[in-house]
Amino acid sequence: MTELTKLSAAELAEGIHSRELSSVQVTEAYLQRIADVDGEINAYLHVAGEQALQTAAEVDREIAAGTVASPLAGVPLALKDVFTTTDMPTTCASKILEGWIPPYDATVTTKLRAAGIPILGKTNMDEFAMGSSTENSAYGPTRNPWDTERIPGGSGGGSSAALASGQAALAIGTDTGGSIRQPAAMTGTVGTKPTYGTVSRFGLVACASSLDQGGPCGRTVLDTALLHEVIAGYDPRDSTSRNVPVPPVVEAARQGAQGDLRGVKVGVVKELHSDSYQPGVISSFDAAVAVLKDLGADVIEVSCPHFEYALPAYYLILPSEVSSNLARFDAMRYGLRVGDDGSHSAEQVMAATRAAGFGPEVKRRIMIGTYALSAGYYDAYYGQALKVRTLIAQDFDRAYEQVDVLVSPTSPFTAWKLGEKVDDPLSMYLSDLSTLPTNLAGHCGMSVPSGLSEDDNLPVGLQIMAPALGDDRLYRVGAAYEVARGPIA
């Protein structure tokens, strides 16, 4: 990395706003870094250099005139390719949307533009956010900057890999079952899944509507908090948006950085700390818990007995919603169209388009979901999964009567080698064991680096969880731990 691309987003913002740096200078440095290394990493599906530099130049003019759009104005960012953008393609890493330019911006995109944040481009992901490794992209896998023979996590591996390789100062991801937190853990970066409904889903191409949540990614807890405040807030265009104040996450991050967690009660989730987790992950987690104790936190063990059913429940609820949401890709309105030569029926064109446009994992989940929702099976599968979801939420409620936050390893294991689990989807799904419960309950969670595993010298993440609208608790604990831990490498 160059000296500029090593700086945190907060440091860059300070330099840009004081005019010691220019946004154009910083944006050019990131675009050069992308040109130098992304041929190997494949974090970006589309680079929008011209647009990013235009935004940067406008920010520099505004600062010279004495106005600043936001605390992060001028700091370049990478945007997951699942948010609509009118000036660049939105493909969701799928052939079925190859080259599609949306007619409207997502609310998150609009907020980024209004904040004066240059968008460097759109990042790679598992197709339609379905996967845990970013190997399901129709445009090739993203590689982990720590070891390019390994995956960066998923589905938001492109955003996390861009951060870890110095190709962006900030990034946006989405988290349906861990797709922000798990890649953050595997790339040594920070990622937050906000409380469901506190970041607008308008213009976020839906995977599973009751689970999807956009969120901020950064290299530090404070950077992530600053971005969180930019993108959060009520949106009347999103029917699931919460009309509540944004939790004071930046203030909490700054408070946490003082290194005092006295009075904070931390719960270690018994069910997310077992022999099935990689030994190096457990040892790193145990060391992190010891640090929290040293900071003054009161740590106890709590039990959430229904968490063991989160994986099967999730993999019924998500595919069911997928089978409904992806029905819109019918080859009639937009996107890919195969076999439309006048000799085939609409049904034949639709079938041919979906066969050619969707990848294996997307097809697998559509079929599972359609089966789970079919007559005679709805109550036995989808209905039962919803009951388990309620039990998991009740487990959380009981736990938060005892503690302020819960902690666990973010993922049971570190980044695996490319191709290692592609033919074993069940093994791949196990990487979401720790993160799924938070999505099912609609709560918030964060992954912050907890060092390197003694097994393979790869990054490990500490997951911090809090109840709905308790996002500021994540940042206080995360920032305190980050400062006490120090650099991971």
Side-chain angles (χ1 to χ4, degrees), residues 102-405:
Y104 62 94
D105 276 337
T107 295
V108 165
T109 307
T110 301
K111 283 177 174 281
L112 294 172
R113 298 194 201 280
I117 296 175
I119 300 174
L120 295 166
K122 307 292 284 294
T123 54
N124 202 6
M125 55 186 282
D126 285 299
E127 184 181 5
F128 286 104
M130 298 182 210
S132 303
S133 65
T134 316
E135 292 173 287
N136 293 324
S137 170
Y139 306 102
T142 296
R143 295 173 179 270
N144 193 321
W146 288 83
D147 180 349
T148 55
E149 295 303 311
R150 294 179 184 268
I151 58 98
S155 66
S159 290
S160 290
L163 289 170
S165 58
Q167 297 186 74
L170 297 162
I172 297 289
T174 61
D175 196 307
T176 303
S179 292
I180 287 174
R181 290 162 290 158
Q182 186 250 29
M186 293 189 172
T187 58
T189 57
V190 179
T192 297
K193 177 228 175 287
T195 298
Y196 180 79
T198 57
V199 174
S200 174
R201 293 189 303 109
F202 179 81
L204 192 173
V205 180
C207 172
S209 301
S210 75
L211 298 163
D212 297 340
Q213 185 58 71
C217 310
R219 292 194 205 125
T220 72
V221 173
L222 177 59
D223 288 357
T224 310
L226 289 164
L227 183 56
H228 190 141
E229 286 201 349
V230 167
I231 63 174
Y234 175 64
D235 181 9
R237 295 179 297 179
D238 175 3
S239 63
T240 61
S241 183
R242 291 178 183 241
N243 192 0
V244 295
V246 177
V249 294
V250 173
E251 179 186 338
R254 295 191 190 280
Q255 178 188 5
Q258 303 302 312
D260 184 359
L261 291 182
R262 285 175 294 181
V264 177
K265 296 179 180 179
V266 176
V268 175
V269 182
K270 175 184 174 183
E271 288 75 14
L272 301 181
H273 185 280
S274 72
D275 293 340
S276 64
Y277 285 55
Q278 185 177 320
V281 168
I282 290 296
S283 61
S284 178
F285 172 71
D286 290 343
V289 171
V291 170
L292 297 178
K293 289 180 180 178
D294 290 342
L295 291 168
D298 181 14
V299 179
I300 64 170
E301 184 179 78
V302 299
S303 178
C304 296
H306 297 99
F307 278 21
E308 66 175 295
Y309 306 114
L311 189 72
Y314 175 86
Y315 280 104
L316 281 169
I317 293 169
L318 175 134
S320 297
E321 296 187 16
V322 162
S323 74
S324 174
N325 279 326
L326 269 62
R328 72 192 66 183
F329 301 105
D330 56 8
M332 301 296 137
R333 289 168 284 188
Y334 51 85
L336 182 69
R337 183 176 298 178
V338 175
D340 186 19
D341 57 6
S343 64
H344 297 93
S345 68
E347 289 80 8
Q348 289 172 323
V349 171
M350 191 183 305
T353 299
R354 289 176 170 172
F358 288 140
E361 184 62 27
V362 172
K363 291 175 183 175
R364 180 182 295 117
R365 297 195 191 193
I366 290 172
M367 287 188 287
I368 291 171
T370 303
Y371 183 83
L373 293 176
S374 61
Y377 296 99
Y378 180 97
D379 290 335
Y381 293 110
Y382 184 69
Q384 290 294 96
L386 291 181
K387 292 176 182 177
V388 171
R389 186 177 196 171
T390 299
L391 293 172
I392 288 169
Q394 291 172 349
D395 279 356
F396 271 121
D397 291 342
R398 283 188 289 270
Y400 289 129
E401 289 174 358
Q402 305 173 64
V403 298
D404 300 304
V405 298

Side-chain angles (χ1 to χ4, degrees), residues 23-46:
S23 179
V24 168
Q25 175 189 9
V26 172
T27 302
E28 286 176 340
Y30 274 103
L31 290 171
Q32 184 59 55
R33 178 68 178 171
I34 292 168
D36 289 344
V37 306
D38 203 48
E40 181 177 22
I41 302 298
N42 196 31
Y44 285 89
L45 294 179
H46 177 83

